[in-house]
């Protein structure tokens, strides 16, 4: 999993001026993927959606998930959504998927502005 930091000027100033404790507290606010349905590398019946569970609440405007088929082509035309009741959950609605390999790519922006991203695959039987 790649971690990409986008420090805004305000955050840079805070990081340089702050105690080490505050810096590490900020670093821990990244949103990491905890689990998903379907799970990574799972072989499943065609799911109605992909559900992603993160360690931190997400910024809905900047967080997203997409699905690609085995040829790398987009396979889910619907937009992903951060759950309105629990911002640590993201949903990607799926069309009726045929059998095959699929890859989920997600980008999660935590409330501190830090971005994480990752990929995982699943198989539809
Ligand atoms: Cu962070």
């Amino acid at each position: 999993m790649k971690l990409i930091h986008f420090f805004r000027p305000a955050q840079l100033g805070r990081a340089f001026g702050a105690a080490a404790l505050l810096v590490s507290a900020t670093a821990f606010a990244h949103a990491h993927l905890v689990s998903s349905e379907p799970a990574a590398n799972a072989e499943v019946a065609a799911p109605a959606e992909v559900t992603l569970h993160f360690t931190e609440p997400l910024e809905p405007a900047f967080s997203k998930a997409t699905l690609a088929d085995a040829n790398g082509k987009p396979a889910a035309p619907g937009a992903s959504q951060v759950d309105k009741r629990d911002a640590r959950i993201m949903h990607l609605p799926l069309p009726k998927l045929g059998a095959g390999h699929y890859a989920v790519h997600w980008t999660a922006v935590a409330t501190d502005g830090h971005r994480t991203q990752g990929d995982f695959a699943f198989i539809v039987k």
Side-chain angles (χ1 to χ4, degrees):
M1 182 173 6
K2 283 176 286 189
L3 300 179
I4 299 176
H5 287 242
F6 291 102
F7 286 106
R8 299 189 208 105
Q11 289 176 318
L12 272 178
R14 194 173 66 193
F16 285 127
L21 183 65
L22 178 57
V23 174
S24 63
T26 302
F28 277 106
H30 297 79
H32 296 288
L33 187 65
V34 176
S35 62
S36 64
E37 294 103 38
N41 303 315
E43 197 170 341
V44 297
E49 68 163 44
V50 175
T51 309
L52 304 152
H53 298 267
F54 291 90
T55 53
E56 299 290 328
L58 308 180
E59 284 288 350
F62 303 110
S63 301
K64 67 170 185 173
T66 58
L67 186 76
D69 66 17
N71 299 316
K73 293 197 176 121
S80 59
Q81 286 194 320
V82 172
D83 193 288
K84 288 183 173 64
R85 280 174 294 186
D86 185 345
R88 295 173 303 172
I89 300 173
M90 186 154 53
H91 304 277
L92 174 63
L94 300 177
K96 181 93 178 127
L97 296 177
H101 288 65
Y102 294 90
V104 177
H105 179 74
W106 55 266
T107 299
V109 176
T111 50
D112 66 357
H114 293 172
R115 186 163 115 150
T116 50
Q117 58 185 15
D119 298 274
F120 66 90
F122 66 88
I123 299 164
V124 173
K125 290 189 257 195

